Amino acid sequence: MKRLFSILAITCLMVIGTVNANATTAVASATTAVANVAQDETSADGENLGFHQELKKRFIEGGPGFMGIVLLCLILGLAIAIERIIFLNLSTTNTKKLTQNVEDALASGGIEAAKEVCRNTKGPVASIFYQGLDRADEDIDAAEKAVVAYGGVQMGQLEKNVSWISLFIALAPMLGFMGTVIGMIQAFDKIEAAGDMQPSLVAGGIKVALLTTVFGLIVAIILQIFYNYIIAKIDSIVNDMEDASITLMDLLVRHKK
């Protein structure tokens, strides 16, 4: 009987040990699978970088010298462009409404009432109206000369600092090309020092060189879009100023009669 109990006890221990071993193996396999999946996901994330991470990586690879100057061109150009856009939007006036208000003021209160309407209205068109009305007591020719002269002043205010944007548009790709040329020279210097044309030396130097050109062209494209919008906005305001000036002269002629 004791021998039978001993055999049963040994058999139970062997079964329990086998089960534990199988369970341990299963857990280890599952842990390894999870680790592999996590590693694959990490690798995928590393390979599929976001746009900002990729842009930052390429910017660093291009070198801080010329890339920093190109970035400075972008920052300064955007700052001037945003300032001009805000100024031009604030300078936009409803010319038809202003003309109607001035005409009504001339009919009801005369020159002083019309000048008060212009003083309470923002924008270059209202300023031109005020200058013309301020010379209306002399004669039509004096008023016309004042309108033309002050129109040139207002046009200069509208075009202020716009030439800097065009400068940055031309400067950014030129700096990129210069960085490319310098990078190519450095690549050939490495080939000359190594005494052998290794593909890794050439590829690395060319990649760094071309990155400056790419970023310079990107900056020029961005600033060119803002520049064209600003020029179109200035042309629109100038056309309104010219039309309003002609309308003001007609109003003054009718008021003189």
Side-chain angles (χ1 to χ4, degrees):
M1 185 64 68
K2 291 181 180 180
R3 186 177 180 181
L4 180 61
F5 281 125
S6 298
I7 294 171
L8 291 175
I10 292 171
T11 304
C12 291
L13 290 173
M14 291 176 65
V15 171
I16 292 172
T18 303
V19 171
N20 289 334
N22 292 333
T24 303
T25 303
V27 171
S29 300
T31 304
T32 303
V34 172
N36 290 333
V37 171
Q39 186 176 1
D40 293 339
E41 291 180 353
T42 304
S43 300
D45 293 337
E47 294 175 357
N48 298 325
L49 294 176
F51 175 75
H52 297 289
Q53 288 80 4
E54 185 68 22
L55 187 64
K56 180 180 179 181
K57 175 185 174 184
R58 298 300 182 183
F59 183 85
I60 295 173
E61 288 179 350
F66 283 95
M67 298 294 279
I69 300 175
V70 172
L71 180 61
L72 183 62
C73 291
L74 176 61
I75 294 173
L76 294 177
L78 285 178
I80 296 174
I82 292 172
E83 184 272 333
R84 284 292 89 191
I85 290 172
I86 294 174
F87 179 82
L88 293 174
N89 286 330
L90 292 176
S91 300
T92 304
T93 307
N94 190 342
T95 307
K96 293 182 178 180
K97 182 178 179 181
L98 176 62
T99 303
Q100 186 63 44
N101 292 337
V102 170
E103 185 176 2
D104 295 340
L106 282 173
S108 60
I111 298 294
E112 292 300 324
K115 290 168 65 176
E116 185 65 24
V117 171
C118 295
R119 276 194 293 264
N120 295 329
T121 305
K122 295 181 180 180
V125 177
S127 298
I128 291 174
F129 271 28
Y130 183 86
Q131 295 298 321
L133 293 169
D134 195 38
R135 300 292 191 278
D137 293 336
E138 301 175 10
D139 55 16
I140 299 300
D141 291 336
E144 185 177 359
K145 290 179 180 179
V147 167
V148 172
Y150 202 72
V153 174
Q154 290 297 316
M155 187 180 299
Q157 292 292 327
L158 295 176
E159 295 176 349
K160 183 180 178 180
N161 294 330
V162 175
S163 60
W164 287 102
I165 302 177
S166 61
L167 172 64
F168 293 134
I169 291 173
L171 191 61
M174 285 193 293
L175 289 172
F177 293 143
M178 184 181 294
T180 299
V181 173
I182 292 176
M184 296 291 289
I185 293 173
Q186 291 175 352
F188 283 111
D189 286 340
K190 291 179 181 179
I191 295 172
E192 184 180 5
D196 186 17
M197 188 170 180
Q198 299 177 5
S200 59
L201 294 175
V202 180
I206 292 176
K207 182 181 76 170
V208 172
L210 292 178
L211 282 174
T212 58
T213 300
V214 170
F215 275 87
L217 292 174
I218 290 174
V219 170
I221 291 171
I222 294 173
L223 293 180
Q224 186 68 52
I225 294 172
F226 282 95
Y227 179 79
N228 286 356
Y229 173 80
I230 290 171
I231 293 299
K233 191 72 174 176
I234 291 174
D235 290 340
S236 176
I237 295 175
V238 169
N239 288 333
D240 289 341
M241 290 165 53
E242 293 175 352
D243 293 339
S245 299
I246 296 172
T247 304
L248 177 63
M249 292 300 103
D250 293 338
L251 291 176
L252 291 178
V253 169
R254 288 202 300 266
H255 179 71
K256 288 288 184 180
K257 294 179 181 180

